[in-house]
Amino acid sequence: LWFNRGVILFNKRRFKEALQSYQRSINIDSRKSEAWYNKGVVLKILGKPKDAITCYERVIAIQPQNALAWFNLANALAAINDGRFSDEAGKLLMRALALEPDNLKALWLIGHWKYAEGDYAEALEYWQRAAARLPPGGEDARVIAQQISQVQSRLGISGTPPMLTAQ
């Protein structure tokens, strides 16, 4: 009941009320991973990434195969680190990717992490894998093509990223 109410309130963008509903759901069943997960999402939206971290850690303790929890935990850690992915956050992204190998966001963000670390070859590999999963012609495809071009330039590789080549 409380969990469903939280979802409805969340969809209406009434985040503070949704947060209260998720907490009530957790109070009734502290092992309800969906309530912990959604509470973490709401806390991140409300600008409380440190509190969201605790929620995602609870989800992982209950449901260690939840790739989204690993991914969002990494994002919350980056949020408290001025948007930068630490090695810890990067390893969490890798864990999410191991659980869900086609996770576009994880591929893209691992590319950012590797690029920031100066590992341009690995950044290129992850970005190319992400690009292959994007529909051609969209804004995301354009952005990742620019990133691929930039890293290719750093690596001294010439050529047009695959999604920009006429077929």
Side-chain angles (χ1 to χ4, degrees):
L1 174 72
W2 287 109
F3 177 79
N4 291 338
R5 183 176 185 271
V7 170
I8 291 166
L9 291 166
F10 180 89
N11 289 334
K12 292 181 177 183
R13 305 187 61 77
R14 292 168 50 187
F15 300 123
K16 289 181 181 179
E17 292 171 84
L19 181 61
Q20 293 170 346
S21 292
Y22 293 136
Q23 184 58 55
R24 289 184 112 168
S25 178
I26 290 165
N27 291 345
I28 293 167
D29 180 2
S30 65
R31 295 200 44 84
K32 187 167 181 73
S33 63
E34 299 91 345
W36 282 108
Y37 180 84
N38 287 8
K39 180 181 176 185
V41 170
V42 170
L43 287 166
K44 179 93 174 4
I45 289 170
L46 294 175
K48 298 179 180 183
K50 285 184 182 178
D51 295 332
I53 288 168
T54 302
C55 294
Y56 297 131
E57 289 172 338
R58 290 297 298 264
V59 173
I60 290 166
I62 297 165
Q63 199 179 28
Q65 300 301 313
N66 188 322
L68 282 175
W70 289 98
F71 176 80
N72 282 345
L73 177 57
N75 268 332
L77 284 172
I80 64 171
N81 193 30
D82 296 323
R84 292 185 310 272
F85 286 95
S86 64
D87 283 343
E88 179 186 4
K91 289 174 185 172
L92 295 171
L93 288 172
M94 296 296 283
R95 173 72 178 171
L97 190 62
L99 292 168
E100 207 175 281
D102 290 328
N103 186 306
L104 176 62
K105 289 181 181 180
L107 288 167
W108 202 329
L109 292 179
I110 290 169
H112 282 286
W113 170 50
K114 294 296 185 178
Y115 186 87
E117 294 290 311
D119 192 343
Y120 303 126
E122 279 206 53
L124 177 61
E125 176 190 334
Y126 285 104
W127 283 341
Q128 286 175 329
R129 286 175 59 192
R133 286 155 180 78
L134 286 169
E139 179 64 16
D140 287 342
R142 185 189 63 73
V143 169
I144 205 162
Q146 288 176 337
Q147 292 170 319
I148 288 170
S149 179
Q150 181 181 20
V151 77
Q152 285 177 328
S153 176
R154 285 197 178 254
L155 290 168
I157 300 170
S158 62
T160 304
M163 76 291 298
L164 295 181
T165 305
Q167 298 201 4

